[in-house]
DNA sequence: TTGTAGGCGTTATCAC
DNA sequence: GTGATAACGCCTACAA
């Protein structure tokens, strides 16, 4: 139980080593301008004194914080059931760790307060880069960052809505086609979709892709928008099943809604998948472990987080980033989907 | 699309307002030493120029970062299924937001690298406070912070293992008793528990509490330790059910293991809860939505996160924190538990 | 009430 | 190769 140690600074090291503070700085940063002997001595002294760079001083001096920012906007209840954000954080932080970067998280309860946080980061250099998710159509954050190219930003959204900003896209297009084609191959003629909020850009992208592909294949297609919640999923499923000619396959924009639909179907004693195929966009432990297990489109969200961090680090490093599209989505075939049993 | 604005500093404000920089500082921080007229002018100018305090400079000057630190240690796969960490983060960040604090997250892939991060925070003041979770018996982090009282820390663990450091405890003791008593009331004579890793301090606390209470009530009790994973849960369940006199009620230390046990029981076509009661320690959407739904001990993890943030903020503010114990746990009675049907 | 000066710890630019 | 010195932006004695 030693005493609270006073912080040891570069000038302490300089004094003990008997050299100037600039010599110490050079030695510590492995830069030329210092002899090998001096460097060795400095390193030894720094180590014995337990010197660590002071991040605030470094930030002030070189205007970098060695951290990237993420704003959490969903309310706390949604964050608890959705694993997406946690996976993203896990991927981000694990990649950042390799460079000694940290992830700075801020919670914002409204769009306005999120904008405040972002403006603050831009104005003060509170972070070296920012990751933006859940981009909406006409999202003010896009305009904000278009106006401030000095702060690296990466959007997780389709490049068509990124306003020219760097974006890491999912190939929602092909994924939608993949799912529609799969239903078609199973022989389904009437398929439906319970989508996420209409304001979200990826919902919009998916909407278009589904309409396109179903038209192409001459399938009957209906789509209802909901809010990713269990209740929302139920309500939409109820409406769809009440149609005169109900769909025989329903695709849900998240696992939660798919699961609640599954519950409902079981309560109605429907045969899954004999009477109805249920498919989730976004795989999770939930889909895997449910009985019957739920067919799902799987994306590597953790990997996406890693790639995002990598891209941001590169941009901070001065490299220009070209928007890319992930094509790793695949359907995990499980028990909730199959051909109709007439 | 304006030009990248140069950062506006306090001296810019001073120049435009025609006063000294210290006057600006006083005015901006609402401190005495400046006339009302000057203050008004300064505030107006600062606002029109869009001045924001530079966090690095402020940190350097007053040795505070307005952020608290959290190290993520589980591997990314576990973080994806467990909602505990996400709930904690949601609670923490939402409470911190009220004071304009941010949450600094670091990922550490080993205990050694976690210690490095913590030592770094201590040595450089990279954060104003630290939250420690998943405390183990003889955890080196406890010793580290005992040696460094200068950095506020809060442990989420039983105060008996906190080494005198501030701790926010769950009342594991009463929770364990609650669960055992419940099983007893249902008429179960042989109960078992599939616990988490033995090294974790809260596992240890629970182990003792269970042994105590089951002895008290003269119940047969067996306990196996596992790793919170689906596979681990299965293996332990299998072993328990293979005993000559298998338990008729099993309590699992997390929802994941309880769920995998449920799957297994269903595959064996066991009657749940007629032949076996399954209970989870830690509620989640999983427990709620499963069929049959799973009886679970529910804790308010988001609230715990909030309380942690509040406590840390108070400590940073100089207040002394007395360790407290949460007593909000309650059993959510669902379909997976009930009396034996002989 | 106001302005000046020095410090926080680091990096970078100069002379030497 | 080395060591002063200024700069980063803010805060706070202290002096005017």
């Amino acid at each position: 139980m030693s005493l609270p140690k006073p912080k040891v600074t570069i000038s302490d090291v300089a004094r003990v080593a008997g050299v100037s503070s600039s010599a110490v700085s050079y030695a510590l940063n492995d830069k030329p301008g210092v002899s090998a002997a001096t460097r060795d001595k400095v390193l030894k002294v720094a180590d014995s004194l337990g010197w660590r760079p002071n991040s605030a001083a470094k930030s002030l001096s070189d205007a970098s914080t060695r951290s990237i920012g993420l704003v959490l906007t969903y309310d706390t209840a949604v964050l608890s059931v959705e694993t997406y954000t946690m996976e993203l954080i896990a991927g981000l932080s694990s990649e950042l760790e390799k460079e000694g970067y940290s992830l700075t998280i801020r919670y914002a309860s409204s769009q306005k307060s999120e904008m405040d946080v972002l403006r603050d980061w831009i104005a003060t250099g509170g972070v070296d880069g920012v990751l933006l998710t859940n981009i909406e159509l006409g999202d003010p954050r896009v305009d904000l960052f278009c106006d401030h190219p000095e702060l690296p930003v990466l959007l997780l959204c389709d490049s068509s809505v990124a306003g020219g900003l760097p974006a890491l896209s999912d190939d929602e297009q092909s994924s939608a086609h993949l799912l529609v084609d799969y239903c078609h191959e199973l022989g389904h003629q009437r398929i439906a979709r319970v989508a996420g909020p209409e304001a979200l850009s990826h919902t919009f992208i998916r909407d278009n892709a589904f309409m396109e592909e179903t038209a192409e294949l001459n399938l009957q297609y209906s789509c209802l928008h909901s809010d990713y919640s269990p209740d929302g999923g139920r309500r939409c499923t109820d409406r769809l099943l009440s149609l005169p000619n109900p769909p025989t396959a329903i695709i849900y924009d998240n696992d939660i809604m798919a699961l609640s639909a599954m519950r409902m179907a079981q309560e109605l004693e429907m045969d899954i998948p004999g009477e109805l195929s249920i498919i989730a966009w976004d795989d999770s432990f939930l889909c895997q472990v449910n009985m019957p297990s739920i067919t799902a489109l799987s994306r590597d969200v953790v990997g996406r987080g890693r790639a995002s961090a990598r891209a941001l680090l590169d941009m901070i490093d001065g490299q220009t980033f070209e928007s890319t599209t992930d094509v790793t989505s695949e359907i995990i075939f499980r028990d909730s989907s199959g051909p109709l049993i007439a």
Side-chain angles (χ1 to χ4, degrees), chain A:
Chain A
M1 187 102 174
S2 61
L3 293 172
K5 288 156 196 153
K7 311 231 185 288
V8 27
T9 77
I10 228 171
S11 58
D12 293 325
V13 178
R15 194 167 22 76
V16 175
V19 297
S20 76
S21 62
S22 49
V24 175
S25 179
Y26 286 136
L28 258 15
N29 293 307
D30 216 27
K31 289 194 175 167
V34 71
S35 70
T38 308
R39 161 166 299 137
D40 282 354
K41 195 197 310 174
V42 166
L43 291 180
K44 212 162 295 172
V45 171
D47 191 55
S48 75
L49 257 47
W51 175 87
R52 310 251 182 159
N54 178 303
S55 44
K58 192 177 208 131
S59 296
L60 183 57
S61 173
D62 68 3
S64 90
T65 60
R66 299 191 75 75
S67 85
I68 73 145
L70 177 71
V71 181
L72 261 32
T73 47
Y74 280 132
D75 67 48
T76 52
V78 177
L79 285 171
S80 310
V81 274
E82 279 269 356
T83 60
Y84 181 86
T85 306
M86 190 65 240
E87 293 180 58
L88 204 59
I89 290 175
L92 280 169
S93 58
S94 68
E95 187 69 26
L96 290 175
E97 191 54 21
K98 295 178 188 164
E99 310 270 349
Y101 269 65
S102 53
L103 179 65
T104 296
I105 290 195
R106 284 274 214 145
Y107 181 85
S109 49
S110 68
Q111 199 179 53
K112 189 192 158 305
S113 77
E114 172 170 20
M115 288 295 282
D116 281 345
V117 169
L118 295 175
R119 268 192 282 263
D120 195 68
W121 279 343
I122 290 171
T124 72
V127 295
D128 291 354
V130 175
L131 185 71
L132 258 31
T133 62
N134 294 312
I135 303 298
E136 301 193 353
L137 266 17
D139 199 306
R141 296 174 293 174
V142 174
D143 297 325
L144 180 63
F145 279 91
C146 283
D147 279 356
H148 292 282
E150 70 269 25
L151 182 60
V153 68
L154 181 68
L155 315 202
L156 292 185
C157 69
D158 196 87
S159 58
S160 66
V161 295
L165 294 171
L168 207 62
S169 316
D170 256 330
D171 195 352
E172 315 265 1
Q173 198 93 9
S174 338
S175 298
H177 289 186
L178 211 59
L179 289 170
V180 171
D181 292 358
Y182 170 60
C183 292
H184 182 243
E185 278 162 28
L186 289 177
H188 293 279
Q189 293 297 318
R190 296 187 306 279
I191 76 174
R193 175 159 157 268
V194 176
E198 211 158 1
L200 286 177
S201 65
H202 68 255
T203 302
F204 178 79
I205 304 283
R206 292 180 193 178
D207 285 353
N208 287 344
F210 268 91
M211 286 190 289
E212 226 174 71
E213 187 70 0
T214 49
E216 178 86 20
L217 295 173
N218 246 315
L219 301 175
Q220 195 177 312
Y221 170 67
S222 21
C223 175
L224 294 177
H225 292 91
S226 185
D227 60 358
Y228 290 139
S229 76
D231 277 357
R234 277 188 89 91
R235 269 194 306 275
C236 292
T237 306
D238 191 38
R239 272 183 62 191
L240 289 171
L241 294 180
S242 308
L243 292 174
N245 276 313
T248 59
I250 308 182
I251 294 157
Y252 294 84
D253 261 13
N254 77 345
D255 52 341
I256 308 280
M257 294 193 295
L259 197 67
S260 68
M262 182 68 83
R263 282 298 149 272
M264 190 173 163
Q266 284 172 312
E267 285 164 24
L268 296 172
E269 294 185 351
M270 291 178 73
D271 173 26
I272 308 290
E275 291 178 69
L276 177 71
S277 281
I278 290 179
I279 299 172
W281 189 309
D282 260 5
D283 194 17
S284 72
F285 185 66
L286 247 51
C287 296
Q288 177 191 329
V289 84
N290 190 65
M291 273 177 89
S293 60
I294 301 176
T295 295
L297 184 83
S298 159
R299 305 182 287 175
D300 179 12
V301 181
V302 174
R304 222 165 133 66
R306 284 212 187 85
S308 305
R310 179 51 40 213
L312 276 165
L313 288 171
D314 286 348
M315 290 166 63
I316 291 166
D317 198 38
Q319 301 172 38
T320 57
F321 172 78
E322 61 244 55
S323 294
T324 39
T325 300
D326 250 26
V327 288
T328 54
S329 301
E330 55 172 335
I331 300 180
I332 310 288
F333 304 102
R334 298 211 182 88
D335 300 338
S336 68
S337 61
L340 216 56
I341 297 172

